[in-house]
Amino acid sequence: MATARGGGGVGWLVVVVVAVVCLSCAAAAARSPAGRAHRHLKRLNKPAVKSIESPDGDIIDCVHISHQPAFDHPFLKNHTIQMRPNYHPDGLYDESKSGGGGGEKPMVQLWHQGGRCPEDTVPIRRTKRDDLLRASSMRRYGKKRHPAPNPMSVDPNLLNEGGHQHAIAYVQGDKYYGAKATINVWAPKIEQPNEFSLSQLWILGGSFGEDLNSIEAGWQVSPDLYGDNNTRLFTYWTSDAYQATGCYNVLCAGFVQINSEIAMGASIFPISSYSGSQYDISIMIWKDPKEGNWWMQFGKDYVLGYWPSFLFSYLGDSASMIEWGGEVVNSQLDGVHTSTQMGSGHFPEEGFSKSSYFKNIQVVDSTNNLKAPKGVGTFTEQSNCYDVQNGNNADWGTYFYYGGPGRSSNCP
């Protein structure tokens, strides 16, 4: 009997040791990169009512409107979703006047070929494990690491500081309550996977120090973020100059989406071709004068959602600068300028169907009216690599051509 009890004791000891070892293994697994990625994916990918496979390999999850990532924010736990803005800005530019010199209506987004999301849901591009593994860290996934272009402070000796170059038009010196632009869409070539090329508008408040507030939207090609070279609709926001707050699209709490038709980060199709058909998107961002939230509209028909006013300090009141234009990352591999293209990859002087453009650019004033911007300035760090030229006419209102090829005999 004693021997039996002794054997049983050893058996129990073995079980306990095995259990402790298993718990240790489980804890180690949870702390491993794979374990952290799994938890992060669960936070990002909400339960879907329906999932749609896009021809480009994306999965679009139709998530119930009240379960979207925005509501992970502690201030939004009991938030009543605002399903429509109280006011639209007055004075929209008559796009029909753009007749023979404008773009053609795009299909909007590629995933629509696979289906549509039902009412009361919002389409969210599913984040995959490979997306996280491409990031420099999971903490920084979906976040920018660079400031907005500051056209008022350029040191010629620091032209490539941070590796970012721009070709933009801008206005400052007033209070701005929104902006609008029509942008033609291209697929610029990217030299290195960690580089990107984008065309967007910036709504800026505060200084260019650590307190900068920014709301951004446009199109981008970013292999690092998306894993391919597709041209995609994107948004971004920050309230502390890209340090800790904000993210691309809906990769963190903040932007509240209300639209079931358009997915942030999804591919735009079709795109413009050199000396061929031109395709445009239009984007408008404005501050609701009643609720104070910043709204975004895509095209004529799609009010996408809003950034709640409490996310911001300076933009809680108004913007102090509006910027429109292009940006690229110049990693200067082996000490030479990148050949990553901006816009169409061609300089402004080539003109329509060859160079990229913004047209009908407008700002929203304190009376909630859209109007042509006054005192438009232009800015580029190296005009021999990427340039910008602005103008005005009856068809396109205030416009500019921008972009370039990057590295060339004139841009070494």
Side-chain angles (χ1 to χ4, degrees):
M1 294 292 289
T3 302
R5 286 197 299 272
V10 171
W12 279 110
L13 180 61
V14 170
V15 170
V16 169
V17 170
V18 169
V20 170
V21 170
C22 289
L23 287 171
S24 299
C25 291
R31 292 192 301 270
S32 70
R36 293 197 302 273
H38 178 72
R39 290 198 305 276
H40 202 59
L41 287 172
K42 285 191 70 174
R43 286 194 294 269
L44 291 174
N45 296 323
K46 306 300 182 182
V49 173
K50 175 183 177 181
S51 294
I52 298 168
E53 186 169 354
S54 174
D56 61 0
D58 280 356
I59 303 296
I60 303 298
D61 290 326
C62 305
V63 174
H64 193 275
I65 195 168
S66 62
H67 297 159
Q68 61 184 290
F71 296 100
D72 293 339
H73 196 293
F75 285 4
L76 287 173
K77 291 295 184 184
N78 300 311
H79 179 73
T80 300
I81 300 173
Q82 191 179 347
M83 291 305 296
R84 61 184 59 84
N86 290 291
Y87 299 96
H88 258 81
D90 295 322
L92 280 171
Y93 192 90
D94 184 1
E95 297 285 350
S96 64
K97 292 197 299 183
S98 296
E104 300 172 26
K105 182 179 175 63
M107 195 188 81
V108 184
Q109 289 191 310
L110 198 58
W111 69 272
H112 292 160
Q113 293 182 15
R116 300 290 176 120
C117 283
E119 289 186 23
D120 299 322
T121 68
V122 293
I124 296 177
R125 179 183 180 269
R126 185 183 299 176
T127 300
K128 300 175 182 177
R129 186 170 179 270
D130 286 347
D131 295 332
L132 295 182
L133 296 179
R134 282 191 306 274
S136 59
S137 72
M138 269 176 274
R139 185 180 63 84
R140 294 297 306 172
Y141 172 65
K143 293 181 178 293
K144 289 188 177 185
R145 295 184 294 273
H146 59 279
N150 182 0
M152 312 313 295
S153 176
V154 180
D155 183 341
N157 298 315
L158 299 174
L159 284 176
N160 197 50
E161 186 180 32
H164 294 262
Q165 291 184 242
H166 311 85
I168 64 168
Y170 67 95
V171 290
Q172 63 166 355
D174 202 350
K175 288 189 172 183
Y176 306 101
Y177 296 84
K180 180 181 180 292
T182 297
I183 317 167
N184 74 331
V185 183
W186 296 85
K189 292 182 175 62
I190 311 299
E191 182 177 330
Q192 299 294 325
N194 64 336
E195 297 178 338
F196 66 65
S197 182
L198 59 76
S199 298
Q200 67 170 64
L201 56 84
W202 289 260
I203 311 287
L204 300 170
S207 71
F208 283 87
E210 296 183 353
D211 60 354
L212 183 71
N213 290 195
S214 183
I215 294 173
E216 306 165 23
W219 61 258
Q220 69 180 162
V221 178
S222 178
D224 202 35
L225 184 60
Y226 302 106
D228 58 31
N229 290 294
N230 291 356
T231 303
R232 296 170 177 273
L233 174 71
F234 83 95
T235 62
Y236 200 90
W237 71 273
T238 181
S239 61
D240 62 356
Y242 311 95
Q243 295 179 93
T245 62
C247 60
Y248 280 109
N249 306 322
V250 289
L251 293 175
C252 67
F255 183 80
V256 180
Q257 185 156 340
I258 63 165
N259 187 280
S260 63
E261 296 284 331
I262 303 298
M264 302 296 194
S267 298
I268 301 170
F269 180 83
I271 56 173
S272 303
S273 59
Y274 188 79
S275 292
S277 298
Q278 302 297 294
Y279 295 94
D280 296 342
I281 60 172
S282 66
I283 290 174
M284 180 168 66
I285 296 173
W286 78 101
K287 188 176 179 65
D288 185 328
K290 183 177 180 182
E291 300 290 338
N293 300 326
W294 288 89
W295 284 83
M296 177 179 174
Q297 180 167 313
F298 180 76
K300 295 180 180 179
D301 304 317
Y302 305 107
V303 176
L304 301 190
Y306 59 93
W307 291 268
S309 59
F310 68 76
L311 295 174
F312 305 102
S313 52
Y314 294 102
L315 289 179
D317 175 35
S318 61
S320 55
M321 179 179 282
I322 306 293
E323 298 177 348
W324 302 264
E327 176 180 6
V328 300
V329 174
N330 174 21
S331 61
Q332 283 196 310
L333 188 68
D334 298 325
V336 297
H337 196 286
T338 183
S339 61
T340 287
Q341 299 173 333
M342 181 188 293
S344 69
H346 292 264
F347 284 114
E349 54 265 28
E350 293 195 41
F352 182 73
S353 85
K354 297 177 181 178
S355 179
S356 45
Y357 59 77
F358 279 62
K359 65 178 183 178
N360 306 332
I361 66 172
Q362 295 175 285
V363 295
V364 181
D365 67 13
S366 59
T367 62
N368 201 39
N369 278 281
L370 277 158
K371 63 181 184 180
K374 294 180 179 179
V376 176
T378 60
F379 164 76
T380 182
E381 290 94 345
Q382 289 180 281
S383 59
N384 56 329
C385 303
Y386 312 105
D387 204 2
V388 55
Q389 296 178 2
N390 61 333
N392 190 284
N393 63 34
D395 284 338
W396 281 19
T398 304
Y399 69 90
F400 61 91
Y401 285 99
Y402 71 101
R407 185 172 68 245
S408 69
S409 58
N410 294 322
C411 175

